[in-house]
């Protein structure tokens, strides 16, 4: 869905559920293309995967669920 909205001109996106770590490469790709993407993390696994990708020169704003 994020890809669809981005391709139709909406660049400020919130992925409104805890993101699966396997989708983080796609998040990085979208941010490198100009998307401002906010993701929600609700597990340690997600946080560790997101932190690792933050070093890949692509970043997304992160919200932590409790």
């Amino acid at each position: 869905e994020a890809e669809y909205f981005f391709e139709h001109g909406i660049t400020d996106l919130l992925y409104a559920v805890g993101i699966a770590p396997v989708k983080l490469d796609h998040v990085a790709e979208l941010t490198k293309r100009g998307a401002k993407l906010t993701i929600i993390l609700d597990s340690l696994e997600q946080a560790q995967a997101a932190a690792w990708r933050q070093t890949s020169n692509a970043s997304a704003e992160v919200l932590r669920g409790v």
Side-chain angles (χ1 to χ4, degrees):
E1 294 123 358
E3 181 78 33
Y4 174 85
F5 286 110
F6 180 72
E7 288 180 356
H8 288 86
I10 299 170
T11 59
D12 190 355
L13 304 162
L14 168 65
Y15 193 86
V17 296
I19 193 160
V22 298
K23 294 185 177 183
L24 291 170
D25 287 336
H26 193 224
V27 168
E29 177 189 328
L30 284 171
T31 60
K32 286 179 182 178
R33 291 172 41 203
K36 179 184 179 283
L37 196 54
T38 302
I39 59 174
I40 295 174
L41 307 177
D42 58 8
S43 75
L44 179 59
E45 178 187 26
Q46 291 170 338
Q48 290 170 330
W52 179 81
R53 283 176 183 73
Q54 292 286 340
T55 63
S56 70
N57 211 17
S59 62
E61 184 173 341
V62 174
L63 302 175
R64 181 181 54 122
V66 177

